[in-house]
């Protein structure tokens, strides 16, 4: 529910509650990535990270979620690459770029943007391409796309 923070928070809480009650009945898959991003945006990423300690079935998806929530973006990207989830791999590189630019590590931030663009440009993911431009600058994004 894009744009509805309150409803999104309720849905994230419902999913987390169901997973807590039946953690081994629902092995983590792509849905866990969405839950991680939602809870992290709500300031509750650490809560989900704590929950993952008690999950018996450590799927590759769960390992990727743990890396995302621990800001280990390179490892998260490697997990998503191994799974074959290019959209999640690109998203984690864009997330890494945000963090890197926030702390003034522009060169590394641009490298992360370059990795994200490898997926977003061919699929014409306009929203994410614009986000990359905001982060790294339109000149940089244009230069990367022309090489």
């Amino acid at each position: 529910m894009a744009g509805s923070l309150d409803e999104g928070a309720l849905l994230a809480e419902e999913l987390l509650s169901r997973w807590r009650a039946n953690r081994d009945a629902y092995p983590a898959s792509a849905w866990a990535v969405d839950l991680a991003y939602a809870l992290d945006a709500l300031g509750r990423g650490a809560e989900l990270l704590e929950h993952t300690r008690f999950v018996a079935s450590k799927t590759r998806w769960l390992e990727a979620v743990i890396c995302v929530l621990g800001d280990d973006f390179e490892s998260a990207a490697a997990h998503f690459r191994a799974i074959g989830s290019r959209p999640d791999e690109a998203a984690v590189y864009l997330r890494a770029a945000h963090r890197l630019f926030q702390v003034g590590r522009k060169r590394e931030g641009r490298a992360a943007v370059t990795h994200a663009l490898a997926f977003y440009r061919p699929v014409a993911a306009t929203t994410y391409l614009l986000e990359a431009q905001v982060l790294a600058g339109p000149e940089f994004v244009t230069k990367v796309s022309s090489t």
Side-chain angles (χ1 to χ4, degrees), residues 5 11 13 30 45-46 58 69-70 81 89 97 117 122 134 139 147:
L5 187 60
L11 291 171
E13 177 57 38
K58 301 289 188 198
L69 293 174
R81 195 169 27 260
E89 180 185 356
L117 289 174
V134 168
E139 302 83 19
T147 58

Side-chain angles (χ1 to χ4, degrees), residues 39-118:
L39 288 174
D40 196 47
L42 295 166
R44 296 178 57 195
E47 184 180 343
L48 179 59
L49 192 56
E50 175 66 19
H51 172 71
T52 65
R53 292 184 29 213
F54 304 103
V55 176
S57 180
K58 301 289 188 198
T59 67
R60 290 189 297 181
W61 289 101
L62 185 63
E63 295 299 332
V65 164
I66 291 167
C67 292
V68 166
L69 293 174
D71 289 344
D72 183 357
F73 300 119
E74 283 296 323
S75 294
H79 283 294
F80 289 132
R81 195 169 27 260
I83 291 167
S85 181
R86 292 194 64 217
D88 287 314
E89 180 185 356
V92 83
Y93 276 121
L94 201 53
R95 185 178 178 97
H98 275 278
R99 298 279 168 87
L100 291 164
F101 278 107
Q102 284 174 347
V103 297
R105 294 167 58 186
K106 292 180 182 180
R107 185 172 359 116
E108 293 158 286
R110 286 189 182 109
V113 166
T114 300
H115 285 295
L117 289 174

